[in-house]
Amino acid sequence: MEKYVGPLPPNPTENQHFIAQAVQGLNAAPSENGKISHIQVYRRVGENTISLVNKGGLPIRHNLALLDLYTFDLTGSLRRNFESLFQRYEEDLPRKTLSLVKKIRANTLDLHDEIISIIGSKMLDFIRNPYSIHKCLAMFPNFATFHPTSAESNEIYQRIWDGNNPRQERICRLLGITSFEYRRWLVTIFMLTYEHPGMSETFLDQIIHSLITSRENYAATHFFIYDRPAVLLSDRSFNEIDNEKIFAMEFHASAELIVTFMVLNLNEWEFKKPLKITKKSIDAFKNFREPMLQAFIVKNEEEILKSYNQRTVAYCHQNVYGVAKSFPGIKIQETN
């Protein structure tokens, strides 16, 4: 086989996670070193109702992953995929999450580095989630049609469209998508997360930066922290908050921490629950008009926890995950 030298070189990784193992271990079943081999899996069986799938849990190394999900070209046992792109967003996330939890418990608001890292990783999880492909393509409709101008990016771009993945038909059947949608999704992931020649940051990083720094936007994060593990993790990794005038997502950062990230246009804003934001803070921001990312900490708010867990069960593709014996707002159905 001809040795390949260039960007995104082949690797042998076949089992490809759409929620990283380190993130699963840290978020769903935290330990002192963050290394957990199994995770408790619950299946949605009704409204606000879940059932334990396996009493012993499932191995994280096989969970929330599909074989060759991101493989766009295969030669022998070596695959060209997005492992190196994903690692950039994943590798420091467990440390940043633990740092975030420690600072929040100490009432420290110097959270900018942790917030940016976590928002970036969660936006990546949305983009690469196989159960949200249509939503990803709807949110970023033009990125698959952009044609890279550099030879380096164009080589990968063409290979993603035309490369060999023997498992493509199976993947499309499992996900209920066409082969064109599948390749378009892979191209979108590449265009958003690859640092193209001449760029100082990825398109994904640029989008996040623009959301936060635009003078037309109000951006805020809310951290809902609890004294016990009680937060569910979704197989989609995040929940949407339904408000057409606001970009908002909430996600499980750890078993004891929910993070909400929202961006609203100051000229179109309308207050709607469940967003914890006051008219007073919006009016003050309108007068100030300096771009910033505001952070708010809320401790042991049970109603938010119940609502979050219920939305997580309602919005998940099929399964949710958690380390607790019970989850506020959710009934656990006994299994035979």
Side-chain angles (χ1 to χ4, degrees):
M1 183 181 70
E2 180 182 355
K3 185 178 179 180
Y4 174 82
V5 179
L8 300 188
N11 62 73
T13 304
E14 179 181 25
N15 193 48
Q16 297 167 9
H17 287 80
F18 48 93
I19 298 179
Q21 295 185 67
V23 173
Q24 290 185 59
L26 177 65
N27 288 4
S31 66
E32 290 183 1
N33 60 12
K35 295 180 180 178
I36 303 294
S37 59
H38 288 72
I39 190 169
Q40 292 289 354
V41 185
Y42 297 87
R43 181 152 299 167
R44 181 184 60 216
V45 294
E47 184 177 1
N48 303 330
T49 306
I50 58 178
S51 177
L52 187 63
V53 171
N54 187 320
K55 290 185 178 180
L58 294 179
I60 284 175
R61 66 180 181 273
H62 298 312
N63 190 51
L64 294 170
L66 287 174
L67 297 178
D68 282 321
L69 177 60
Y70 308 109
T71 294
F72 58 87
D73 198 24
L74 176 114
T75 304
S77 62
L78 293 179
R79 296 153 166 81
R80 293 186 68 185
N81 51 45
F82 302 139
E83 286 296 301
S84 62
L85 300 186
F86 296 161
Q87 286 172 8
R88 175 180 173 273
Y89 290 91
E90 294 173 351
E91 60 187 359
D92 209 26
L93 185 61
R95 184 183 67 81
K96 289 288 180 67
T97 303
L98 289 172
S99 174
L100 179 67
V101 170
K102 183 178 180 180
K103 285 184 175 182
I104 289 174
R105 293 202 184 284
N107 294 317
T108 301
L109 284 177
D110 178 21
L111 308 172
H112 185 268
D113 289 347
E114 289 86 354
I115 292 171
I116 296 300
S117 178
I118 288 174
I119 289 174
S121 70
K122 294 305 176 181
M123 287 294 289
L124 171 66
D125 283 349
F126 160 67
I127 291 165
R128 69 173 175 173
N129 193 285
Y131 306 131
S132 302
I133 289 176
H134 290 127
K135 289 184 180 295
C136 173
L137 294 178
M139 180 172 287
F140 304 102
N142 298 322
F143 276 86
T145 64
F146 292 166
H147 202 286
T149 56
S150 75
E152 175 185 303
S153 294
N154 189 58
E155 188 277 332
I156 306 171
Y157 175 87
Q158 294 296 340
R159 190 67 64 92
I160 294 173
W161 278 118
D162 303 328
N164 171 47
N165 181 354
R167 289 193 167 104
Q168 175 173 304
E169 183 179 344
R170 175 180 177 272
I171 291 170
C172 290
R173 187 170 61 252
L174 284 172
L175 301 178
I177 58 174
T178 67
S179 59
F180 176 74
E181 289 172 326
Y182 174 62
R183 291 287 172 161
R184 185 172 166 233
W185 175 56
L186 294 182
V187 169
T188 299
I189 294 173
F190 164 68
M191 292 299 295
L192 284 167
T193 61
Y194 188 72
E195 194 170 299
H196 302 276
M199 294 175 56
S200 59
E201 58 183 355
T202 66
F203 281 118
L204 178 58
D205 290 340
Q206 288 183 32
I207 290 169
I208 294 171
H209 180 78
S210 177
L211 288 172
I212 292 171
T213 61
S214 171
R215 289 181 179 273
E216 298 301 313
N217 291 339
Y218 174 88
T221 50
H222 286 76
F223 301 97
F224 301 98
I225 194 160
Y226 299 89
D227 292 335
R228 68 193 192 283
V231 181
L232 285 168
L233 168 68
S234 167
D235 54 13
R236 291 187 189 270
S237 81
F238 75 101
N239 298 333
E240 286 185 309
I241 297 178
D242 185 20
N243 189 322
E244 63 182 16
K245 297 183 183 296
I246 297 176
F247 171 82
M249 59 190 298
E250 61 178 4
F251 48 85
H252 170 291
S254 83
E256 300 168 356
L257 179 63
I258 301 167
V259 178
T260 298
F261 173 56
M262 68 185 76
V263 179
L264 57 93
N265 186 289
L266 295 174
N267 301 315
E268 298 180 355
W269 173 72
E270 291 180 3
F271 176 77
K272 289 186 179 181
K273 292 184 177 181
L275 302 179
K276 280 267 184 173
I277 190 168
T278 65
K279 186 177 187 302
K280 182 179 179 181
S281 64
I282 291 294
D283 290 340
F285 188 85
K286 282 182 178 181
N287 293 328
F288 191 50
R289 283 281 178 162
E290 284 294 328
M292 67 176 68
L293 177 62
Q294 293 198 323
F296 302 90
I297 294 174
V298 181
K299 296 183 177 180
N300 296 313
E301 176 55 66
E302 286 295 307
E303 289 306 311
I304 290 291
L305 179 59
K306 290 178 183 179
S307 297
Y308 167 85
N309 282 336
Q310 289 172 352
R311 282 191 295 273
T312 298
V313 170
Y315 187 65
C316 76
H317 173 69
Q318 183 173 324
N319 295 329
V320 294
Y321 309 84
V323 66
K325 298 294 185 182
S326 62
F327 305 94
I330 300 300
K331 178 184 177 181
I332 301 177
Q333 187 178 91
E334 296 294 331
T335 55
N336 295 329

